[in-house]
Amino acid sequence: MNKILLAFCFITNIAFAQKMPDYGINRVHIYLEDKTLLFETIPVTSQPDVSPDKTYYWYGANTVHQTQGGFSGKLLNGSYKEFYLDKNLKEEGRFKAGLKDGVWKSWATGGRLVSSITWHNGVKAGKYALYNDSSLVSQSGHYRNDLLNGPIKFYVNKDSVHIVKYKDGHINPDTRPFLKRINIFKKKNKEAATKP
């Protein structure tokens, strides 16, 4: 009898330890006059430490709210999709405990990609790209702590790229020594290389 009771306890513990499917309970679909929202509010395992400088997205009263430094409802947690009335995607990404996380993409009304931005815990951090009306990259680079950082490429046309270096959101002046910046010997070396 003890063996049967022990086996029963063991099996029930295994069953409760497994993640049970939610069958769409945590998936919300909202129809508005100008757009449709489809998102998840998967319960967060622990109460997040709220940061006063971050924007939290949460669900309450049949709408999505965004509040800086707090929330008062179910935090968006999981996938998020926003659609135009013609069912084309407008925005897509993921939330982690109410904060944008991972790659977020947005599209214009005709389905043209407008931007692709990487987020980490509610802050822009990582690669990003902006696209022009011809669906070509018009600007690309990196964010760090919500600020442009590193070489930012501005694509003037298909064959021309202008690069501006940023550090913590500010244009970073060229810090190389003066003689390396002007490189007076470069022209002479090119001329010498072209002589037969």
Side-chain angles (χ1 to χ4, degrees), residues 179-180 182-192:
L179 289 177
K180 287 203 177 217
I182 59 171
N183 200 356
I184 58 175
F185 303 107
K186 190 174 184 179
K187 189 173 184 180
K188 289 181 181 178
N189 290 340
K190 281 185 181 178
E191 290 173 2

Side-chain angles (χ1 to χ4, degrees), residues 44 48 55-58 75-78 95-100 122:
V44 179
T55 301
Y56 292 83
Y57 293 79
W58 51 280
L75 287 171
L76 271 59
N77 192 35
F95 283 100
K96 182 178 176 184
L99 299 171
K100 288 185 175 184

Side-chain angles (χ1 to χ4, degrees), residues 20-63:
M20 302 299 288
D22 69 5
Y23 299 107
I25 294 171
N26 296 311
R27 186 169 275 223
V28 181
H29 209 142
I30 300 176
Y31 297 95
L32 301 170
E33 348 180 311
D34 60 338
K35 61 187 172 185
T36 302
L37 306 176
L38 177 62
F39 57 90
E40 294 177 313
T41 58
I42 298 168
V44 179
T45 55
S46 63
Q47 186 70 12
D49 292 330
V50 176
S51 177
D53 58 337
K54 293 183 180 178
T55 301
Y56 292 83
Y57 293 79
W58 51 280
Y59 171 66
N62 204 34
T63 190

